[in-house]
Amino acid sequence: KNEVEQSPQNLTAQEGEFITINCSYSVGISALHWLQQHPGGGIVSLFMLSSGKKKHGRLIATINIQEKHSSLHITASHPRDSAVYICAVIRDFGNEKLTFGTGTRLTIIP
Amino acid sequence: DVKVTQSSRYLVKRTGEKVFLECVQDMDHENMFWYRQDPGLGLRLIYFSYDVKMKEKGDIPEGYSVSREKKERFSLILESASTNQTSMYLCASSAPLHFGNGTRLTVT
């Protein structure tokens, strides 16, 4: 069993829909990243969370440390949000090594 | 704009060749990482470095070595390339976390 599990693996939605991607982990962590990867390979960190909730534009990320669960929400989804979203955890604060989920492929249809 | 630059986007090499993948960051970061990304397996850590000349093995170091002679440069070396090393290779540095655009390596 992977230490970091994401669901769903694939998600197709209509433009404007509210999107939720989930991440569960089975190990102790110091922080969690939500990453975005567009076709072509480049990866961008959207959020780094160690507690609570963060918001940036239409994106919201939450984490519940006790339940070992995080969610990424996208409000008013747009075709440009189509990408692979990856959850990654930092187990040891200070060395920043990441353990990754296998990603969620999101497709937003106009 | 901060940058992590990988020297090649696409690379084709023959089995048995020695391959160098170069990564340079301009953010004065202490930590640098090499990952590979494969369908169904996600991203996996090959090696990381937390200071010049310091390195630690990641989850899949077999068949790879690294070099960090200067703070800004972290090189991944495939001593004798094999077909099972065909993959997307991503360099990253932190903190904060930044990735390069990746090198898609094909070994024939």
Side-chain angles (χ1 to χ4, degrees):
Chain A
K1 189 178 186 299
N2 291 337
E3 293 175 333
V4 182
E5 298 276 359
Q6 282 185 241
S7 63
Q9 287 190 321
N10 293 283
L11 179 57
T12 300
Q14 293 291 130
E15 182 173 357
E17 285 190 43
F18 182 82
I19 303 298
T20 295
I21 300 170
N22 295 300
C23 175
S24 296
Y25 51 92
S26 57
V27 294
I29 69 169
S30 61
L32 178 148
H33 281 273
W34 280 104
L35 308 172
Q36 181 191 56
Q37 184 175 31
H38 280 286
I43 296 176
V44 174
S45 176
L46 299 172
F47 297 102
M48 186 174 81
L49 293 161
S50 54
S51 65
K53 176 179 175 178
K54 286 190 176 180
K55 185 175 189 290
H56 181 69
R58 295 181 294 107
L59 301 177
I60 303 165
T62 64
I63 190 168
N64 185 317
I65 295 292
Q66 286 73 30
E67 294 188 4
K68 296 187 174 179
H69 183 268
S70 177
S71 293
L72 177 68
H73 306 284
I74 304 174
T75 62
S77 59
H78 190 276
R80 65 175 174 266
D81 297 325
S82 298
V84 176
Y85 292 86
I86 304 168
C87 169
V89 300
I90 300 172
R91 298 181 65 173
D92 302 313
F93 197 76
N95 68 31
E96 302 272 329
K97 286 193 296 182
L98 296 172
T99 302
F100 299 84
T102 52
T104 296
R105 185 174 298 278
L106 174 65
T107 304
I108 303 298
I109 299 170
Chain B
D1 195 20
V2 296
K3 280 216 181 306
V4 178
T5 303
Q6 294 184 229
S7 53
S8 305
R9 288 303 305 274
Y10 300 95
L11 212 50
V12 180
K13 296 291 181 180
R14 293 196 179 275
T15 301
E17 278 193 76
K18 190 168 186 175
V19 181
F20 293 86
L21 301 183
E22 305 287 347
C23 176
V24 177
Q25 52 97 0
D26 63 1
M27 295 162 281
D28 202 35
H29 284 169
E30 303 288 341
N31 302 315
M32 296 188 75
F33 309 85
W34 275 106
Y35 297 96
R36 65 177 281 177
Q37 185 177 30
D38 300 288
L41 297 175
L43 284 130
R44 294 176 292 168
L45 179 64
I46 305 170
Y47 267 97
F48 80 102
S49 169
Y50 49 90
D51 201 352
V52 175
K53 296 191 186 295
M54 305 301 287
K55 60 188 179 186
E56 278 195 30
K57 293 179 181 179
D59 300 317
I60 50 164
E62 297 79 17
Y64 303 95
S65 62
V66 290
S67 172
R68 193 163 180 205
E69 296 296 319
K70 294 185 177 181
K71 191 175 186 179
E72 66 270 20
R73 186 180 296 270
F74 192 35
S75 303
L76 180 70
I77 304 154
L78 286 65
E79 296 291 342
S80 178
S82 65
T83 55
N84 64 11
Q85 292 178 310
T86 291
S87 187
M88 170 70 90
Y89 289 87
L90 287 142
C91 176
S93 71
S94 71
L97 180 66
H98 288 272
F99 283 85
N101 284 331
T103 296
R104 188 168 293 282
L105 173 67
T106 302
V107 183
T108 62

